[in-house]
Amino acid sequence: PRIPRPARASGLHLHDRRTYEPYNKHLLRVALRLIEELGIVDPETIASAPVHDGIEDHPQLLVVRYLDRIPPADPHTLHALGREALGVFASRHEASSLADIVFDVSTPPPLSRETKQAEYIDFVTRLMNEGDARSRALKTADFLDNTDLSSGLEKTSKRRYLDRKQILLYHAVIRAMEQDDSLIIGEARDATTD
């Protein structure tokens, strides 16, 4: 199948860095994990990987670039407009479901700093239990990349933060792969759940 061209959206993160590397490397690894490790062949799921953090990290840029609007101050309204802007982007690149997939995996702004991690855990658990199979596959690839020790985060405070957060989600990710409609099947499922 022909994969749409939304990798251009990696420009959203052009100047972003993770602790040890340009942020776009994470986005591309998630796409590669979908294909190579998880056996995903759905083109829009794969095309969602390069933009999967866009609504969370750069909603203002999406709103300005694709809706030609001044971004609102309210983070929840901005989050919703980020989805609308990504919809415009997706329609331009023949990826009609891309915005839905990305919005499904985009954590809403937290209600407070104190509850941020608990809200994230609840959000991802609900996604992995009830979400669309394509969104669950994308979140699984993201989860795998964020927990992969070879990704370069070893012995940093960021590594410890991600480990504490991700360990609480491990069982939800495994259960998601075991659902009947999971896109992660056969040897890919077995290798990932071992």
Side-chain angles (χ1 to χ4, degrees):
R2 185 177 170 283
I3 297 176
R5 301 177 297 165
R8 292 179 184 170
S10 61
L12 288 171
H13 297 275
L14 185 62
H15 301 292
D16 295 349
R17 291 194 59 80
R18 292 186 104 183
T19 306
Y20 57 92
E21 69 181 358
Y23 198 85
N24 280 332
K25 286 189 175 187
H26 163 67
L27 302 174
L28 295 175
R29 276 195 310 268
V30 170
L32 288 172
R33 286 178 189 281
L34 282 167
I35 298 165
E36 295 177 357
E37 290 178 35
L38 302 180
I40 302 302
V41 296
D42 176 67
E44 290 195 12
T45 303
I46 297 164
S48 298
V51 293
H52 80 268
D53 283 332
I55 294 174
E56 289 179 19
D57 296 345
H58 295 290
Q60 297 92 344
L61 183 56
L62 285 168
V63 168
V64 169
R65 186 179 292 173
Y66 296 106
L67 299 180
D68 196 25
R69 292 178 59 178
I70 296 172
D74 173 62
H76 297 283
T77 304
L78 181 59
H79 183 75
L81 284 176
R83 190 264 171 247
E84 185 180 331
L86 202 56
V88 171
F89 168 81
S91 69
R92 291 180 186 171
H93 295 283
E94 302 174 33
S96 59
S97 298
L98 180 142
D100 294 330
I101 296 167
V102 172
F103 190 72
D104 283 353
V105 302
S106 298
T107 310
L111 297 174
S112 74
R113 173 175 250 151
E114 293 76 28
T115 62
K116 180 178 179 178
Q117 183 167 330
E119 289 179 54
Y120 175 78
I121 299 299
D122 289 346
F123 169 79
V124 174
T125 300
R126 192 170 42 258
L127 168 66
M128 298 311 261
N129 287 334
E130 304 165 11
D132 178 81
R134 296 176 299 173
S135 302
R136 293 191 326 258
L138 177 59
K139 192 62 178 176
T140 299
D142 183 44
F143 176 87
L144 291 171
D145 197 66
N146 285 332
T147 56
D148 186 351
L149 293 177
S150 67
S151 294
L153 290 171
E154 39 306 85
K155 299 182 183 177
T156 68
S157 60
K158 182 72 170 182
R159 171 80 272 149
R160 288 187 298 276
Y161 166 77
L162 284 172
D163 287 346
R164 283 192 307 271
K165 184 170 79 168
Q166 301 296 79
I167 196 70
L168 299 172
L169 295 169
Y170 175 78
H171 293 292
V173 173
I174 297 299
R175 282 192 308 272
M177 283 189 272
E178 294 170 347
Q179 291 184 29
D180 291 340
D181 68 340
S182 178
L183 300 180
I184 305 165
I185 57 174
E187 291 179 13
R189 180 187 296 179
D190 295 341
T192 305
T193 56
D194 280 347

